[in-house]
Amino acid sequence: MMMNFDSKVLNHQPNQIPQEFVWPDHEKPSPNVPILQVPIIDLAGFLSGDQLLVSEATRLVSEASKKHGFFLVTNHGVEERLLATAYSQMDTFFTSPTCEKQKAQRKWGEISGYASSFVGRFKKNLPWKETLSVSFSPEEKSENNSKTVKDYIIKTMGEEYQDFGEVYQEYTEAMSNLSLKIMEILGISLGIKINHFKEFFEDNESIFRLNYYPKCKQPDVVLGTGPHCDPTSLTILQQDQVSGLQVFVDNQWQSIPPNPQALVVNIGDTFMALTNGLYKSCLHRAVVNSDMTRKTLAFFLCPKLDKVVKPPEELEGERVYPDFTWSMLLEFTMKHYRSDMNTLDEFTNWLKNNSSF
Ligand SMILES: *[C@@H]1O[C@H](CO)[C@@H](O)[C@H](O)[C@H]1NC(C)=O
Ligand SMILES: *[C@@H]1O[C@H](CO)[C@@H](O)[C@H](O)[C@H]1NC(C)=O
Ligand SMILES: *[C@@H]1O[C@H](CO)[C@@H](O)[C@H](O)[C@H]1NC(C)=O
Ligand SMILES: *[C@@H]1O[C@H](CO)[C@@H](O)[C@H](O)[C@H]1NC(C)=O
Ligand SMILES: O=C(O)CCC(=O)C(=O)O
């Protein structure tokens, strides 16, 4: 089967796009979806320590997290310059020839690398996109420092990618810093010990991903990113001016339109388990369009691989999910299960069936 995703070739074939990219009717994008109401959190206000602003921010975060887990942050402190450069640098990689991009080809079961159509893991309902993912560990652990984004890029793509690597190194560090501040709001909103999440995520091994959605001549039958919940803990998404992000709330798809001042934040499955199911990880997807390429940048905060995911005592009550490590859930979603709104429940069953863990 043809597995090289080259949208120029696919769009210029005389007929329809290949069947592998066509989604079943009930999953095809609907033309006019309502706009999802998501609160805008003024991070500077929260960090100012002003009691009114702090309680307003935590109230909004708590409300949104209990309902669907999506909110926006403004005054987030990430420099405009960095956001703009990280966005524009994406073309350096994605507009280069396929063989060049394949230098970073992601292999089955690996986190980092270039992928189109999920490296052939799935044979239908393929996403109309290309991605470059890099695992990120802020600690410079090994003597060769090979865990940084920059070194991964240079190692796979070559010295010409020095600047490119540096931009995304700085970007992931900025997002990692920001995730800590968002964790503070989440912690306060849950009424748990002030340092709990800071300690939990101290040696985080997060994931950074560039999503490149080429234009498509049949946008009404494809999806850029299929419906899924993030298995990770917290996602920070930089959207561009081309809309496309949709969230499934109140039994219908609703959009989160671009807002140039804001980053989109959402809760993932691991954080849902950490809150004993109180804060929701919600199904979302991305649609594409016929006249513009859409580009997004996503930072997925994850704990260290062997960290045991269990709620703090304040939230324990009756346990909804068993203890697990992030590495088990990661393996489950990479090798056994395509993430969707049932991931955590299916994972729980799988854990019970494989109790040798
Ligand atoms: C560092 O790189 C050298 C040479 O490539 C290699 O021999 C060594 O094992 C590496 N050390 C670590 C900790 O990865
Ligand atoms: C991240 O935070 C650290 C510690 O506060 C700071 O030294 C560093 O400059 C920050 N990095 C970015 C890219 O904002
Ligand atoms: C992730 O780890 C880095 C380095 O240890 C730290 O600076 C950052 O604050 C951590 N993030 C969170 C959310 O704890
Ligand atoms: C777990 O085992 C039961 C009974 O053998 C089976 O019906 C179910 O499909 C299994 N679930 C998973 C997630 O493997
Ligand atoms: O690009 C988007 O808007 C969503 C991307 C996404 O959900 C993902 O990368 O997991």
Side-chain angles (χ1 to χ4, degrees), residues 74 95 109 117 142 258 271 319 341:
T74 53
T95 61
S117 308
S142 72
F271 199 78
R319 288 289 297 279
M341 63 203 302

Side-chain angles (χ1 to χ4, degrees), residues 202-213:
E202 203 133 55
D203 296 312
N204 52 74
E205 300 191 13
S206 301
I207 302 169
F208 167 61
R209 177 174 302 151
L210 301 172
N211 290 308
Y212 188 84
Y213 304 99

Side-chain angles (χ1 to χ4, degrees), residues 70 129 131 209-213 224-232 235 237-240 242-246 256 264 266 284-287 294-300:
F70 275 80
K129 74 166 171 183
T131 59
R209 177 174 302 151
L210 301 172
N211 290 308
Y212 188 84
Y213 304 99
T225 298
H228 68 287
C229 295
D230 294 338
T232 43
T235 306
L237 181 79
Q238 179 184 347
Q239 284 205 88
D240 65 7
V242 185
S243 55
L245 177 62
Q246 300 185 346
I256 298 189
V264 182
N266 73 273
H284 55 287
R285 68 182 187 183
V287 303
R294 177 168 181 262
K295 290 175 265 183
T296 66
L297 301 88
F299 176 84
F300 303 97

Side-chain angles (χ1 to χ4, degrees), residues 31 55 67 93 100 106 158 165 182 224 287 289 297 339:
S55 63
K67 186 156 169 58
F93 179 82
E100 173 83 359
R106 176 165 146 197
I182 298 168
V287 303
N289 69 79
L297 301 88
S339 292

Side-chain angles (χ1 to χ4, degrees), residues 112-275:
S112 297
Y114 166 70
S116 53
S117 308
F118 281 158
V119 204
R121 180 182 163 195
F122 303 107
K123 300 211 176 339
K124 56 176 200 176
N125 298 345
L126 298 182
W128 191 265
K129 74 166 171 183
E130 299 168 71
T131 59
L132 179 64
S133 311
V134 186
S135 68
F136 168 72
S137 173
E139 300 263 295
E140 298 182 5
K141 285 193 192 93
S142 72
E143 59 183 83
N144 292 345
N145 198 13
S146 61
K147 287 199 131 184
T148 69
V149 169
K150 183 177 136 198
D151 289 338
Y152 172 81
I153 297 285
I154 294 172
K155 195 176 71 199
T156 53
M157 298 304 297
E159 290 293 337
E160 319 87 90
Y161 278 77
Q162 178 92 20
D163 291 350
F164 182 91
E166 269 164 21
V167 168
Y168 295 114
Q169 180 66 36
E170 189 186 353
Y171 187 91
T172 38
E173 277 169 20
M175 290 303 160
S176 173
N177 285 358
L178 175 58
S179 70
L180 185 60
K181 294 173 194 157
I182 298 168
M183 276 300 154
E184 263 182 56
I185 305 192
L186 286 165
I188 294 176
S189 76
L190 287 159
I192 62 170
K193 280 200 208 79
I194 191 95
N195 276 333
H196 185 82
F197 290 135
K198 187 175 177 193
E199 283 160 17
F200 186 82
F201 289 106
E202 203 133 55
D203 296 312
N204 52 74
E205 300 191 13
S206 301
I207 302 169
F208 167 61
R209 177 174 302 151
L210 301 172
N211 290 308
Y212 188 84
Y213 304 99
K215 47 192 178 177
C216 177
K217 67 177 178 184
Q218 286 178 277
D220 47 341
V221 303
V222 305
L223 289 174
T225 298
H228 68 287
C229 295
D230 294 338
T232 43
S233 297
L234 188 81
T235 306
I236 305 175
L237 181 79
Q238 179 184 347
Q239 284 205 88
D240 65 7
Q241 283 313 291
V242 185
S243 55
L245 177 62
Q246 300 185 346
V247 188
F248 195 70
V249 182
D250 293 335
N251 232 13
Q252 62 177 336
W253 288 104
Q254 306 192 39
S255 71
I256 298 189
N259 173 337
Q261 263 73 57
L263 296 165
V264 182
V265 175
N266 73 273
I267 283 166
D269 290 340
T270 302
F271 199 78
M272 179 161 158
L274 268 180
T275 65

